[in-house]
Structures are given as structure tokens and as C-alpha cells.
Amino acid sequence: MTISSTPPDPEIWATIDRRLRTGDEDRWLSSRYAEPDARNDLIALYAFCWELARVRLIVTEPTLAAIRFQWWRDALAELEEGRPPRAHDVVSVVAVMLDRSALTTADLVSIIDGYEAAFEQNDRALEPEAVIARYASSIVAPSVDLGSDVENLALEFAAARRGDAVASPAPITPLPSSVLPSLAHLRLRKLYARGAAPRPLSKRLSVFRAVLSGKV
């Protein structure tokens, strides 16, 4: 899929990067350890996910939510057809990410489906956290297959961050160093499990330790 439009300029990337830091600092912290192009692709993926995740914060009516989710499906369909990205900064960086990563528009549609199902059933446990972790790791290490263990860690991280009880927390788990820029934040599940919101410095140190040790 080749998009015939002017690539987003550095200020667009910087604006989205700042927005993600505010909206989803945990994933943003991990992405700091990626190489520049991979970091931008992670930021594009995570910014796309944040646009979907915050639908529940913006609207409560199912019809209005359905319109927003469909807007993103339509935007991806246009990219798949080779049409220029819509006039939305996240769509423009997603187009770049799709061009240079192994991810497809179908992959991103599956993320939309997950967030929409979670909204419709009012159950955040249905949000596609495991899918996001798998796609993020494929950006930084496309040849590494992590299997279901990391997906389980992603679900545990998401539950702990929401404040949900985790029945059987997984131990600190070693991972290949190549995937850590996409998954080091999963170690934060240990901080969230303590109940209180982690301090910013504690989160940064936890992610740094994950990258340094290779364990999340």
C-alpha cells in the first residue's frame, strides 16, 4: 500500500508524541528506547489506539460511539485503496506506519473492533490490550514470536492499571531485548498492583530497569 501524499512533517510527529505522553505515558515511556523510525511507528500505533480508547471518555450514546468507530474504519479503508490520508494528524502518521511496517489496515480494524465491543458491553476487559502488545512488538522485532505469554502479561498490565484485581499475577518475565521498546512498560503492572497511582519517577525507573535487565 503506497500513499500518494506529502509525509507528515516533524512538528506533526512531535505534537502526537506530546499528546501520547499525556494520554498514555506508560507506552510512551517504553517507546523512548526504540530506534527513531520504529519509535515513530510505535507512536503512530499507540496514538491510533488512544483515539479509540478515549471514545468512552467523550461520548456515552452508543450511536455517537458507533459513528466515531466507523469514521476510523472508513479512514483505513481509504488508505487501503491508496487514497491520501484524511485531514487528521493521526491518520497521516498511521499511513506512514502502515507503509513501512508489517501491519495492515486489517490489523488496525481488529483493534477498532475490540474497542467497540468493549464500549458496547461496557467492559474494559474486552479492550484489545493483547492485540496491541503483539502488533507493537512486531514493529520493533518482526521476526520474534512471543506467543501467548506476553499477551497474558499485557492483559495483566491492563487490569492492574484499571485497578482490577489480578487473581494470579505472573512473575517478572524475561523477554528478548529487541522487543523491550514495545513492551517494557508491562513491568509497571507490579506498581499498579499496589493500589496507589505510581509516581512518575517510579514509573520511569521501572521501565528503565525492564530495559536494562530484559525482564518485565
Side-chain angles (χ1 to χ4, degrees):
M1 179 183 63
T2 301
I3 305 301
S4 57
S5 67
T6 304
D9 63 39
E11 183 54 35
I12 289 178
W13 286 104
T15 298
I16 293 174
D17 190 86
R18 290 191 295 268
R19 189 185 308 154
L20 182 69
R21 183 178 184 178
T22 301
D24 191 348
E25 186 186 36
D26 297 348
R27 289 187 172 99
W28 181 87
L29 286 171
S30 286
S31 72
R32 300 305 90 186
Y33 296 93
E35 295 298 323
D37 281 352
R39 181 190 308 150
N40 279 347
D41 289 347
L42 287 172
I43 291 303
L45 173 65
Y46 294 153
F48 171 77
C49 294
W50 174 239
E51 290 291 333
L52 301 169
R54 72 190 190 97
V55 169
R56 67 179 179 82
L57 304 175
I58 299 171
V59 301
T60 56
E61 291 293 329
T63 301
L64 296 178
I67 291 171
R68 289 178 177 270
F69 289 124
Q70 188 59 45
W71 189 95
W72 286 99
R73 288 193 184 90
D74 292 344
L76 293 176
E78 291 167 6
L79 294 181
E80 182 65 28
E81 294 167 0
R83 295 163 63 181
R86 292 186 174 191
H88 188 293
D89 55 1
V90 173
V91 179
S92 69
V93 298
V94 163
V96 174
M97 182 265 290
L98 288 170
D99 263 356
R100 65 186 178 194
S101 76
L103 294 182
T104 67
T105 55
D107 293 330
L108 300 189
V109 168
S110 73
I111 295 177
I112 298 174
D113 293 343
Y115 276 112
E116 186 166 29
F119 182 93
E120 290 175 345
Q121 299 187 43
N122 194 28
D123 184 358
R124 293 193 62 199
L126 298 177
E127 292 177 350
E129 296 286 346
V131 173
I132 295 168
R134 185 169 70 249
Y135 291 166
S137 66
S138 77
I139 287 174
V140 296
S143 62
V144 177
D145 182 5
L146 297 171
S148 61
D149 288 344
V150 165
E151 295 182 4
N152 292 334
L153 290 177
L155 293 174
E156 181 182 323
F157 159 77
R161 186 161 69 160
R162 291 192 305 268
D164 296 347
V166 178
S168 301
I172 295 296
T173 304
L175 293 178
S177 60
S178 59
V179 306
L180 291 172
S182 64
L183 299 175
H185 61 278
L186 297 184
R187 183 163 175 149
L188 295 175
R189 72 192 193 281
K190 297 299 183 181
L191 295 183
Y192 283 115
R194 296 174 185 172
R199 294 178 179 273
L201 180 59
S202 297
K203 294 207 293 186
R204 284 162 175 73
L205 288 174
S206 181
V207 171
F208 176 70
R209 289 192 188 103
V211 173
L212 196 64
S213 66
K215 298 177 180 180
V216 301

